[in-house]
Amino acid sequence: MIYYALCSVPCAVKLNGSYIGKAGGNYSIFESDGGLIEFLPLSSSYLSVSFVLDDGASTENMRFFDLGGGFLLIPVFARQRFSDFRLIDKRIFDSSFGKTAITCYAENGARLTVENSSGFTVENLSFLPREVSFSLVRSRKKDHLFAFLSSTRTEILAFSITPDIKLEFRRKADGFNLNGNTLQCIENKNDALNHTVTSVWTFDDEVRASSLVVTPKKNLYALPEELFKIAFFEEILVGGEPENFLSPVLKPKASSLKSFLGDFEIVLPPPHFKPSGLTLLVYKDKVAYANVILKNGLIDGLTLVDKDEI
């Protein structure tokens, strides 16, 4: 049987105890009649993932997809735990609803706690922050307490204090700016067009998305045909302007693309046993193939095809 693997971190791969190669963010392919496969991260920050191929179903740490002629494996890596207690940072703020403490610490993982005289909450973190900062923003009916937790990227959490404590916002960013009750988040996407996504959020009586600007760093018309198709679906994922990819016939239907395609999460080239003109869309618990027809360099037709219909 043919297997494809896609890893979020570079790994060494062992099959039935023997080393068979490396896997990373691009497709890795191997054949097997079954047995135990192990993904061993090359970074000490992550735990390894083991999976019995014969079981043929997703588990907590492995997403398993039937591609219609082969299978796709996407390991879900857990972060290493840190057993010794370490206080990373702690602040106490005078909120409108009394003194509120926020603490970031490591012990059997990294955690963030927020507490006052009437409430308490704790959030597990997926990484050990190198830098931490906190900020309090007041509004008419509630305050918002921000935590900015940085490593290679920054994870931003915002808790409402009413006086109850509730997590209302959580997002990763490559850059940010908090100005009063307005937060700007900048995300750099590693996709075909190298998008930069800039979102602005307002924290008042509720959290509102004020604006979203998606800027490509590459010219989409300079892409080769197969990458042009991939970029089209990535444009939908980042909330950009997919109408730029469409022919005059399809352009009026751009607003309905998301509902037509559904909530896909990953865009990939097709496996080698499917026609090369297709695009593979990975959803939470299934895959589908998209057949894209180009005319004069623009998308003039789009259909979804089940994996077993090809």
Side-chain angles (χ1 to χ4, degrees):
M1 185 59 66
I2 298 171
Y3 293 90
Y4 279 79
L6 198 68
C7 297
S8 57
V9 296
C11 289
V13 184
K14 295 174 73 174
L15 180 62
N16 295 324
S18 299
Y19 173 75
I20 62 171
K22 294 181 180 180
N26 295 320
Y27 271 146
S28 298
I29 183 171
F30 63 95
E31 292 189 50
S32 174
D33 294 327
L36 178 69
I37 188 167
E38 300 169 86
F39 293 91
L40 310 172
L42 301 179
S43 167
S44 60
S45 299
Y46 299 91
L47 298 173
S48 62
V49 171
S50 300
F51 182 73
V52 178
L53 296 173
D54 313 72
D55 292 347
S58 292
T59 64
E60 182 180 358
N61 60 1
M62 180 65 73
R63 300 176 69 187
F64 184 89
F65 299 93
D66 185 349
L67 299 177
F71 299 96
L72 173 64
L73 304 173
I74 304 179
V76 180
F77 297 101
R79 286 271 183 172
Q80 288 276 14
R81 299 290 185 179
F82 311 95
S83 57
D84 295 335
F85 178 83
R86 174 186 167 193
L87 178 64
I88 299 173
D89 201 358
K90 180 177 181 177
R91 289 278 306 276
I92 298 176
F93 290 90
D94 290 318
S95 75
S96 302
F97 306 93
K99 291 187 179 298
T100 301
I102 182 167
T103 306
C104 184
Y105 68 94
E107 185 179 32
N108 294 321
R111 293 183 175 85
L112 187 72
T113 64
V114 183
E115 57 187 313
N116 59 18
S117 60
S118 59
F120 173 84
T121 189
V122 58
E123 291 294 325
N124 292 320
L125 306 177
S126 61
F127 65 99
L128 183 65
R130 289 201 297 260
E131 296 181 12
V132 174
S133 62
F134 305 123
S135 186
L136 180 71
V137 172
R138 299 174 182 267
S139 61
R140 289 171 294 178
K141 295 183 179 179
K142 64 174 72 170
D143 293 349
H144 284 96
L145 184 53
F146 290 82
F148 302 97
L149 313 169
S150 299
S151 183
T152 54
R153 304 182 74 201
T154 298
E155 186 162 12
I156 304 169
L157 295 87
F159 300 85
S160 60
I161 315 295
T162 61
D164 290 337
I165 301 169
K166 179 182 177 182
L167 178 66
E168 289 203 22
F169 181 89
R170 188 168 190 164
R171 197 177 185 94
K172 290 185 178 180
D174 298 290
F176 67 90
N177 180 47
L178 180 64
N179 184 12
N181 67 338
T182 300
L183 174 69
Q184 180 190 66
C185 296
I186 300 171
E187 300 174 71
N188 298 320
K189 300 293 186 179
N190 185 26
D191 54 17
L193 292 176
N194 292 141
H195 287 98
T196 296
V197 180
T198 303
S199 57
V200 177
W201 304 81
T202 301
F203 292 78
D204 206 326
D205 294 342
E206 60 182 18
V207 180
R208 302 189 311 276
S210 304
S211 67
L212 178 71
V213 177
V214 180
T215 307
K217 294 180 183 176
K218 294 182 180 179
N219 184 348
L220 69 93
Y221 301 112
L223 297 176
E225 180 176 303
E226 297 309 317
L227 198 54
F228 182 89
K229 297 176 183 179
I230 296 285
F232 164 68
F233 293 103
E234 291 176 339
E235 190 78 14
I236 297 171
L237 277 178
V238 300
E241 300 178 342
E243 59 268 24
N244 292 336
F245 294 75
L246 302 178
S247 70
V249 174
L250 285 187
K251 198 177 289 282
K253 300 180 180 179
S255 60
S256 62
L257 282 171
K258 186 62 178 176
S259 59
F260 170 69
L261 293 170
D263 293 325
F264 64 95
E265 301 175 353
I266 304 173
V267 186
L268 295 168
H272 72 276
F273 48 79
K274 296 296 186 183
S276 61
L278 298 176
T279 302
L280 176 63
L281 304 181
V282 180
Y283 296 76
K284 182 178 180 181
D285 55 2
K286 67 175 184 178
V287 300
Y289 292 94
N291 185 25
V292 175
I293 299 172
L294 296 180
K295 182 178 180 181
N296 297 325
L298 295 171
I299 295 173
D300 195 56
L302 172 63
T303 56
L304 288 180
V305 186
D306 185 82
K307 60 181 176 58
D308 297 320
E309 296 178 358
I310 308 167

